[in-house]
Amino acid sequence: MLNSLNSPQREAVKYLDGPLLVLAGAGSGKTRVITQKISYLIDEAGYSPKEIAAITFTNKAAREMQDRVAKLMQGKSTKGLTIATFHSLGLQMLRAEAALLGYKPQFSILDASDSFKIVADILATTDKQLLRKTQWQISAWKNAFINADQARAQADEELSHAAAKVYQLYQQTLKAYQAVDFDDLIKLPVELFEQHESALNKWQRKLQYLLIDEYQDTNACQYKLVKMLTGVRGQFTAVGDDDQAIYGWRGADVQNLRQLTDDFSKLKVIKLEQNYRSTVRILRAANQVISNNPKLFEKKLWSDLGTGELIQVSAAMSEEAEAESVIMKLQAHKFEYRTKFLDYAILYRGNHQARIFEQQLRNHKIPYTVSGGQSFFDKAEIKDLISYLRLIANEDDDPAFIRAATTPKKGIGNTTLERLGEFASAHKISLFAAAFEADFQSEVGHKQLDDLLNFCQYINKLQVRAVRDPAGEVLNDLLNTIQYEAFLYDSEEPRAAESKWTNVMDFIAWLTKKGEANTEYGNEAEGKNLLELTQMVSLMSLLEGNDAGEPDAVKLSTLHAAKGLEFGHVFLIGVEEGILPHRESIDAGVLDPSKIEEERRLMYVGITRAQKSLNISWCKKRKRAGEIQMCEPSRFIAELPKDDVRHFGNPFNDPEISKDFGKSKMANIKAMLANK
């Protein structure tokens, strides 16, 4: 099994004498090391699967790891093995120990839009920028393991003082709802282990060996959790790459890699420097760019996949010209090399850069997918409707209750909901059940109680109809009763309201079709009722993006979303001062060089996505806020190795070389056409 690994990979798999840091360069086979090590721990080192946890950052990475381990173990039992994201591991711990923190085991998890709503209610404002800033600040505090009292003590200006107050009220509201947010899934287990040694001992015994992927992306809270779980034994393997730390803005701290060397004196460091993805030229470019950053650990990627093509750097007159040129090059390259669309990626610093490329791709009828775009099931109007469906299917779903009870407003105010939350929490029942308790009913005024009971009884009626009547009929009645269309037009600009209402109608039409008896193909002869459809929708929204096959389409993606992926041919666009590096980073970089360093790591991530060819482009001028502005090429272009790069459309370039290169390309294509 270990014969397929190179010698540093093999050493990393077999090392069990204490804490281990594997510095895994881009494309150096880190997932392979983690999965082989899991197999080695079980087969050779006497660990039981249930004593091992591999922690990743995304569901996609966890799924890929599970598939690979299953293949490696070939039918041997891996029962009890944990391969999960940080957040789902935190959730497991919280579900098991909820009572110790004063939560019921079926507490609810609020997503970002639910949290946003709570912050908006506390601040009583519609200023979206202020709300986002406050929400972001609360999240940053939680990631840094700072509670509301500490935040108030540390607040140094009026704005952070106000945010700290909101933080306190926000936490109280969550507790009253018996709900947690995404950041709590890490923060609360750390609090739990700090306050309850018995719980910590139990989980340390349970998880004897930890493997942590993408270690450079951990924040202070995640680092604390890992440190507590591994205890003094330090039986863990952390895999990371300081050159790919690009999430500082999200609270990730690349210094956690250095911290390991301080906190674990016996830490062993193994470097994986052989790259199995890219040509020598692409790696030379990546190494030379990143060498301009100060290093935590020295490492240099190398490859035996051949020298490869020259890297092309093109200057375009405008963003339209850039998009046109990239799409033409892509089509010509695909024709010449008989490749597929999925071999190509167009990568950029910010989402706004995609629009003009999408237009060009559509004009040329080229299929494409956009990474990091919003999923249909994540749209607010769809989530509003799904909250009713969830509540009809399971009346104990508290966040669904909160969302359905308050969207549109039904006279059920925050005070009523908070009282309901406190009562439900004290009696360990759901909000829905609490509304029918005589003791609770005696605490609230008649008007509030009437509004609350009308809502609950209406849900009860729908529950009866959900198993009996056609789904489409029930859903249309629901929309009429809650006057959802009027609510949208009251709360949004006309065009936004219209587009949201269209989405709602599409969703209803889709569910109605699924609910109708379908005898046409002889399958699904009986229609699904609303309860069955709700379970299907929940499953679909959870599993969305879990498509087995990638469509044959060009991939458009931000650099952040492309990390971990690889493509035959990469077009890195808009590589200008003010875009990459980002304008804000340039301004902040005067005082804090780490901001520019993170942008350089982003450039490094972009370069190392490419396997065979890399095209970099920048614009000489660009429209900003309606005005034409002159642009300069990014400083990172000047850092590329001169001998591996050919420039096009650049005034400092020899025009004859570009002309000759273009002519020879054209001659190749003509010759191919003649041979067809």
Side-chain angles (χ1 to χ4, degrees):
M1 177 184 78
L2 297 178
N3 292 344
S4 61
L5 304 177
N6 64 35
S7 93
Q9 286 175 333
R10 214 168 16 250
E11 188 188 0
V13 167
K14 292 171 83 168
Y15 185 79
L16 293 173
D17 294 339
L20 169 67
L21 171 61
V22 179
L23 280 174
S28 64
K30 69 180 174 68
T31 309
R32 205 165 172 205
V33 166
I34 293 173
T35 50
Q36 294 270 15
K37 185 148 193 171
I38 291 170
S39 169
Y40 184 79
L41 286 166
I42 297 168
D43 283 347
E44 308 289 332
Y47 279 85
S48 152
K50 65 174 189 290
E51 295 171 334
I52 303 166
I55 311 173
T56 68
F57 271 84
T58 64
N59 289 325
K60 187 171 177 281
R63 276 199 305 269
E64 186 187 332
M65 222 173 259
Q66 278 159 346
D67 293 346
R68 289 214 205 172
V69 169
K71 277 197 188 107
L72 276 177
M73 299 300 286
Q74 282 177 341
K76 292 181 202 154
S77 169
T78 53
K79 195 173 181 320
L81 171 68
T82 301
I83 298 180
T85 62
F86 265 105
H87 291 91
S88 52
L89 179 64
L91 176 60
Q92 276 179 43
M93 292 168 173
L94 282 183
R95 287 255 191 259
E97 316 294 342
L100 291 175
L101 287 170
Y103 285 89
K104 56 182 190 183
Q106 73 274 31
F107 63 82
S108 304
I109 302 156
L110 302 186
D111 62 17
S113 61
D114 292 324
S115 306
F116 186 80
K117 231 179 182 156
I118 296 172
V119 174
D121 285 342
I122 294 169
L123 278 169
T125 177
T126 52
D127 179 345
K128 284 196 171 159
Q129 207 180 347
L130 173 67
L131 292 172
R132 278 206 188 91
K133 251 190 179 149
T134 311
Q135 189 182 20
W136 183 86
Q137 180 59 72
I138 291 171
S139 175
W141 276 324
K142 288 188 177 190
N143 287 334
F145 199 65
I146 293 168
N147 65 29
D149 292 335
Q150 291 165 324
R152 285 183 84 156
Q154 288 174 16
D156 52 354
E157 53 182 283
E158 214 175 310
L159 200 68
S160 49
H161 236 316
K165 261 192 200 144
V166 175
Y167 182 12
Q168 202 140 24
L169 292 166
Y170 172 77
Q171 277 311 100
Q172 286 165 6
T173 309
L174 285 192
K175 198 70 192 268
Y177 288 172
Q178 282 288 295
V180 301
D181 66 16
F182 200 55
D183 300 316
D184 285 332
L185 295 176
I186 312 290
K187 181 174 167 279
L188 288 175
V190 176
E191 279 179 17
L192 170 83
F193 294 150
E194 278 192 341
Q195 293 160 19
H196 301 277
E197 207 177 330
S198 58
L200 175 60
N201 293 337
K202 171 181 153 185
W203 283 91
Q204 282 179 342
R205 276 195 309 276
K206 183 174 157 49
L207 302 176
Q208 301 270 322
Y209 201 96
L210 289 190
L211 301 108
I212 306 108
D213 191 14
E214 302 285 13
Y215 197 78
Q216 75 283 350
D217 294 339
T218 54
N219 58 38
C221 216
Q222 287 160 330
Y223 182 64
K224 244 180 157 57
L225 184 63
V226 168
K227 223 169 101 178
M228 292 176 107
L229 284 173
T230 56
V232 284
R233 298 186 329 279
Q235 286 298 84
F236 68 83
T237 296
V239 182
D241 181 7
D242 48 327
D243 292 334
Q244 293 188 75
I246 56 173
Y247 288 109
W249 52 276
R250 212 168 63 183
D253 189 355
V254 66
Q255 293 303 325
N256 284 348
L257 285 167
R258 174 174 288 141
Q259 195 64 41
L260 276 179
T261 56
D262 296 342
D263 290 346
F264 297 92
S265 54
K266 290 201 176 114
L267 183 78
K268 169 133 176 111
V269 179
I270 295 174
K271 296 175 190 174
L272 304 184
E273 296 170 296
Q274 181 174 1
N275 171 290
Y276 291 94
R277 175 186 298 159
S278 310
T279 63
V280 171
R281 275 200 167 110
I282 288 167
L283 294 184
R284 259 202 306 251
N287 286 331
Q288 191 150 321
V289 167
I290 206 68
S291 69
N292 292 280
N293 271 1
K295 306 291 278 177
L296 278 180
F297 303 93
E298 263 320 315
K299 74 173 183 326
K300 234 188 178 115
L301 294 179
W302 62 275
S303 147
D304 54 16
L305 297 175
T307 311
E309 296 176 28
L310 283 165
I311 293 165
Q312 293 188 30
V313 175
S314 316
M317 287 314 291
S318 65
E319 50 222 290
E320 287 83 3
E322 181 185 36
E324 226 165 274
S325 148
V326 164
I327 305 310
M328 276 173 62
K329 275 186 191 157
L330 190 154
Q331 281 182 300
H333 190 279
K334 180 178 183 294
F335 178 75
E336 188 177 348
Y337 292 96
R338 303 277 193 271
T339 47
K340 292 182 167 169
F341 285 121
L342 58 76
D343 295 324
Y344 298 87
I346 298 171
L347 307 181
Y348 36 82
R349 175 66 177 84
N351 274 314
H352 64 278
Q353 293 169 266
R355 192 186 54 80
I356 198 157
F357 283 84
E358 285 194 63
Q359 238 168 344
Q360 278 292 337
L361 289 162
R362 280 200 298 268
N363 292 349
H364 289 266
K365 298 191 170 41
I366 295 173
Y368 67 90
T369 59
V370 183
S371 189
Q374 192 189 33
S375 129
F376 184 72
F377 290 106
D378 273 343
K379 294 181 188 298
E381 61 276 20
I382 301 303
K383 288 175 83 162
D384 286 345
L385 266 189
I386 288 176
S387 71
Y388 283 89
L389 296 183
R390 275 165 45 190
L391 195 54
I392 293 165
N394 168 21
E395 63 204 38
D396 292 334
D397 186 335
D398 286 358
F401 180 94
I402 293 158
R403 189 167 190 139
T406 54
T407 317
K409 291 256 184 278
K410 299 172 183 63
I412 304 169
N414 267 359
T415 319
T416 311
L417 277 177
E418 255 170 70
R419 278 201 191 157
L420 189 65
E422 280 160 19
F423 186 91
S425 170
H427 295 79
K428 302 201 169 17
I429 54 177
S430 70
L431 297 172
F432 194 92
F436 291 99
E437 292 286 320
D439 287 353
F440 167 73
Q441 294 182 357
S442 62
E443 287 178 19
V444 274
H446 285 305
K447 169 80 178 81
Q448 286 87 340
L449 186 59
D450 284 350
D451 288 332
L452 184 62
L453 288 178
N454 281 341
F455 168 67
C456 293
Q457 283 155 356
Y458 177 60
I459 294 294
N460 282 147
K461 276 186 200 144
L462 288 175
Q463 287 175 323
V464 175
R465 291 191 59 191
V467 283
R468 190 189 63 201
D469 298 347
E473 201 179 294
V474 182
L475 289 165
N476 281 308
D477 286 353
L478 166 68
L479 288 176
N480 288 333
T481 307
I482 64 173
Q483 299 184 309
Y484 193 74
E485 186 178 9
F487 159 74
L488 282 179
Y489 280 91
D490 287 345
S491 48
E492 300 280 348
E493 298 289 315
R495 278 182 64 182
E498 191 181 337
S499 121
K500 288 186 169 202
W501 182 244
T502 306
N503 287 336
V504 169
M505 290 287 87
D506 287 349
F507 183 56
I508 298 284
W510 177 71
L511 280 177
T512 305
K513 196 161 184 274
K514 292 269 180 204
E516 283 167 356
N518 177 3
T519 50
E520 202 180 331
Y521 303 106
N523 60 352
E524 277 196 54
E526 81 298 339
K528 283 183 163 64
N529 69 33
L530 196 55
L531 283 185
E532 293 164 326
L533 287 173
T534 301
Q535 287 160 346
M536 182 191 76
V537 169
S538 300
L539 205 61
M540 281 192 71
S541 51
L542 283 171
L543 297 177
E544 217 193 16
N546 188 9
D547 264 326
E550 281 277 313
D552 184 24
V554 175
K555 180 77 140 188
L556 293 183
S557 173
T558 61
L559 287 163
H560 283 101
K563 190 162 86 90
L565 304 177
E566 54 185 38
F567 307 94
H569 311 281
V570 166
F571 291 89
L572 191 47
I573 62 158
V575 185
E576 295 144 37
E577 287 292 299
I579 294 182
L580 181 68
H582 197 273
R583 198 184 302 108
E584 282 171 26
S585 307
I586 296 172
D587 298 341
V590 180
L591 298 171
D592 179 5
S594 74
K595 296 282 188 267
I596 295 288
E597 287 160 21
E598 180 151 326
E599 294 291 303
R600 187 175 280 111
R601 293 195 288 268
L602 212 42
M603 177 76 175
Y604 175 85
V605 165
I607 294 170
T608 53
R609 296 314 91 203
Q611 294 168 307
K612 297 182 180 134
S613 77
L614 175 63
N615 277 271
I616 295 171
S617 57
W618 62 280
C619 297
K620 295 179 181 177
K621 55 180 190 282
R622 204 177 260 284
K623 232 189 211 150
R624 274 209 190 104
E627 285 181 28
I628 299 288
Q629 292 189 343
M630 301 309 288
C631 308
E632 287 176 39
S634 165
R635 64 193 73 187
F636 305 142
I637 288 178
E639 293 171 359
L640 294 165
K642 305 270 179 290
D643 295 345
D644 292 317
V645 175
R646 177 171 266 134
H647 289 270
F648 295 90
N650 191 331
F652 313 111
N653 210 41
D654 182 344
E656 284 309 307
I657 294 177
S658 296
K659 213 189 259 172
D660 291 348
F661 184 79
K663 274 184 183 163
S664 72
K665 271 277 184 222
M666 209 55 221
N668 278 350
I669 289 174
K670 277 182 179 159
M672 281 173 67
L673 284 170
N675 293 334
K676 279 199 93 167

